Every structure is written in structure tokens, then in C-alpha cells.
Amino acid sequence: LPAPGGAAAGGRCRKRRAYDMVHYGHSNQLRQARAMGDYLIVGVHTDEEIAKHKGPPVFTQEERYKMVQAIKWVDEIAPGAPYVTTLETLDKYSCDFCVHGDDITLTIDGKDTYEEVKTAGRYRECKRTQGVSTTDLVGRMLLMTKAHHSNIDEDLDYRKHTDNFGKGPKGHSPWTGVSQFLQTSQKIIQFASGKEPQPGDTIIYVAGAFDLFHVGHVDFLEKVHQLAEKPYIIAGLHFDQEVNRYKGKNYPIMNIHERTLSVLACRYVSEVVIGAPYAVTADLLDHFRVTLVCHGMTEVVPDKDGSDPYEEPKQRGIFQLVDSGSNLTTDLIVQRIIKNRLEFEARNQKKEAKELAVLEAMRRLEEEKH
């Protein structure tokens, strides 16, 4: 084990979170944590633990276990991890240290859940990804605005939402608050595998919105991955306006930049086409040397001209429907959120209030020092 005050480079590290509504912000923290050691174990809480300390979870614990395991930087998950991380837990999994983001996590009575491991010098921190939080995503669903789409001017309702959603009466927490996500080429490079298809690989193309990347998507991609001995899966992501055309309402909930990172973080995906054409064209199939095109059991909406977007791969005899065995869709997730709307709003306000109380206590300590 490392000496107090620091963790041994290249050791086993452990990450612990609720991982409710897993998004690219969580994936980015896991990427950073994995880079600090050789083996990453991720502790995921039970429904009961989350409900006690945070409020109603969006996904079931089984769904969350599967989602986290599908993130490519995760070596192992620890199901039913305790909400408060102790030295006993780290020793149980032979972990040198644990990692958390630079946001704070508090118990139901307002205590830092990492206090014990921090004191023992077995705690490391990684940067929180700006511009995304579960709070913001829930807000987008409830607000029914399209302002989060790329290339759409921000409207007044959304600006009001980003100012107020989850905001307590005394101010705004930097951890729960909402900010704009700014995509960079560096972030895409960090998430991308960078691997080219190799001789003997079966190049499989799948396309869709992949909105609020969830366990239904994971089940589908896992099944597609099992279709070949050496699969190289390319996911085509449609632009926001295209998704809105065939999904309607305020879909997609995540814009094209956010969806790109979410899909790239999945261990079954080798490459992403950002802004793929809705119709799977001959040019696309030839360019990527695609040998198989797959679609799930969801409805295929015709293209703008009424044609079948999969007409070309069907004519070539390379189209295959894949049953994921999961009935979870983005629509169902949004329905869960709306059903629990009041509970979610109360959860966000409570979380904000606790964080603000800690900030105030930290400010007072600094004043006393000076």
C-alpha cells in the first residue's frame, strides 16, 4: 500500500458513485481515474442507498451495474458499494487509493463521504466535466425546450432554467449548477480508441440517435458485438435536427456533441460518425468497407422523401435486425423522470442546499485562518 499522503503510481484504484443516469461526465471521470492506476474498480450503490442519501434513482441498480461495466475504462464493478467510502472497503478490494471528482458528496446528515480515506492519504481527485450534470439533463426533459440542441439559439425559458434549476434560495452551488458544455477536439481524442480496422475485422455499421445513452443501447451493441469474431463497430449519430424530425418533441435530450462522447465511451464501439446521413448510402458503405448493417427492433421512420433509409444495405443483402432483449427506450426514461417530477425537484434542491452549507463552512474556515 502507498505511504500516507499519496497513492502509489500504477496501483489499483477505486471509484465510487451512484452512477444514476450515466452520462459522458461520469465516463470522463472514469477515464481520468483509470489513467491514475493499472486497474479500475468502480463501486456502484444500491437503489436503497441512493434513495436514502440523494432521492429516487432513475435507473434500477441492475441497469446501473450493466451501464458502468460497459464503459471501456472500467476493469471491474463492485455492486452494492457503501455510500460512505471506508478504508475497510478499499482493503477488501486491494485498492491502493480511491478517486472522486472535485465536486463534494455528502451523506444525509451533511458529512463528507470521503473523510476517512482523505485523512489516511488514500484519496485522489479528478476534474469534474463542465457543462453536464444529471440535474441539467432532468431539467431538459421537464422543460420541453429545444435550446440545448446544437445550432439553435438559446431561448429565454432555457436561460431561466440554467439560472434556476436545482438552485436553492441562498445561491448557486458550483457542483450542482448548470453550465454550457463546450466540445473540443482534445476531448474527442481522449474518448476515441484511435484504432483502425484490421485485416479480418468484420466492419459493422449501426445508426441512430443514441440519446441519453442507456442500458437498452448497451444491450443492443453487446448483441451486435457478438455477431462476429473480430467486430469493428461504427456508430453513425444523426444530427440534432434530424433526430428532432423523426422523434419530435424536444428530442434529442443530449445534443450531437454530448451523444458523441457517450457512445465513444462504450467498450463495444470502435468509431463514431458525427452527423451521419439518415439514409445509409452506397457511398457510406463503400467508404467504411461495411460488411454488415444492424438495426434494433425499434420503428424505422421513413426518410424525408418517404424512402426506406436501409434500402441500400437491404439490396446488398447485408442488413440484419438485432433483438437486444431490452424494452428500455429514451421515451421510457423520460416517462420515469416526469412521473417522479416533484421528488426529483425536491432532491435537487436538497442537494444544492447541503452543498451551499458546506461552501459557507469552508469560507468561514478560510476567514478564521486569515
Side-chain angles (χ1 to χ4, degrees), residues 27-289:
S27 300
N28 193 37
Q29 286 191 347
L30 294 172
R31 179 189 66 78
Q32 292 176 79
R34 182 63 174 77
M36 294 179 187
D38 296 317
Y39 195 87
L40 178 63
I41 300 172
V42 182
V44 188
H45 309 316
T46 62
D47 295 344
E48 189 181 7
E49 279 280 84
I50 296 173
K52 179 183 169 185
H53 293 280
K54 296 186 78 169
V58 180
F59 292 107
T60 68
Q61 59 201 42
E62 294 305 321
E63 287 169 340
R64 284 181 284 109
Y65 297 158
K66 183 165 246 183
M67 271 300 298
V68 175
Q69 189 67 73
I71 295 170
K72 62 186 177 186
W73 298 287
V74 177
D75 293 300
E76 185 185 332
I77 65 161
Y83 199 75
V84 176
T85 303
T86 62
L87 294 172
E88 184 187 355
T89 304
L90 292 189
D91 292 341
K92 178 184 174 184
Y93 291 99
S94 304
C95 291
D96 297 296
F97 57 89
C98 68
V99 183
H100 193 258
D102 54 7
D103 54 328
I104 196 162
T105 59
L106 305 168
T107 62
I108 195 167
D109 51 2
K111 290 180 180 169
D112 182 354
T113 59
Y114 287 94
E115 192 175 339
E116 184 179 321
V117 290
K118 282 178 180 176
T119 305
R122 291 171 67 182
Y123 174 84
R124 281 191 178 186
E125 209 161 77
C126 59
K127 283 197 174 295
R128 180 182 177 272
T129 306
Q130 289 299 310
V132 65
S133 68
T134 304
T135 305
D136 183 30
L137 295 176
V138 170
R140 294 181 198 181
M141 293 176 218
L142 298 178
L143 203 63
M144 297 299 285
T145 176
K146 296 179 191 177
H148 53 275
H149 295 173
S150 60
N151 303 322
I152 290 183
D153 290 334
E154 184 181 56
D155 65 23
L156 287 172
D157 282 344
Y158 189 66
R159 196 175 304 129
K160 190 175 172 186
H161 150 66
T162 56
D163 287 343
N164 294 319
F165 193 82
K167 183 175 174 181
K170 294 182 181 175
H172 202 295
S173 163
W175 301 303
T176 300
V178 177
S179 61
Q180 173 104 34
F181 170 67
L182 299 172
Q183 180 70 284
T184 62
S185 56
Q186 181 61 27
K187 189 59 64 196
I188 292 176
I189 289 165
Q190 287 170 342
F191 271 57
S193 68
K195 291 176 185 169
E196 296 280 332
Q198 300 302 306
D201 283 357
T202 302
I203 300 172
I204 306 173
Y205 182 75
V206 297
F210 292 99
D211 194 16
L212 288 178
F213 195 76
H214 54 72
V215 76
H217 297 131
V218 168
D219 285 335
F220 167 68
L221 290 166
E222 186 181 20
K223 284 277 168 60
V224 171
H225 196 266
Q226 291 166 356
L227 293 175
E229 193 177 326
K230 290 176 65 185
Y232 186 94
I233 298 176
I234 301 172
L237 300 193
H238 303 139
F239 277 130
D240 298 342
Q241 288 77 5
E242 191 67 70
V243 176
N244 192 249
R245 177 188 71 80
Y246 64 80
K247 289 278 288 178
K249 298 179 187 173
N250 61 332
Y251 292 114
I253 304 298
M254 283 183 158
N255 66 42
I256 184 72
H257 306 302
E258 298 171 317
R259 291 184 283 120
T260 297
L261 293 184
S262 296
V263 175
L264 279 174
C266 179
R267 66 173 68 250
Y268 304 117
V269 175
S270 302
E271 181 63 286
V272 166
V273 180
I274 304 167
Y278 187 66
V280 182
T281 61
D283 282 349
L284 184 146
L285 296 174
D286 294 341
H287 177 81
F288 292 109
R289 303 194 304 280

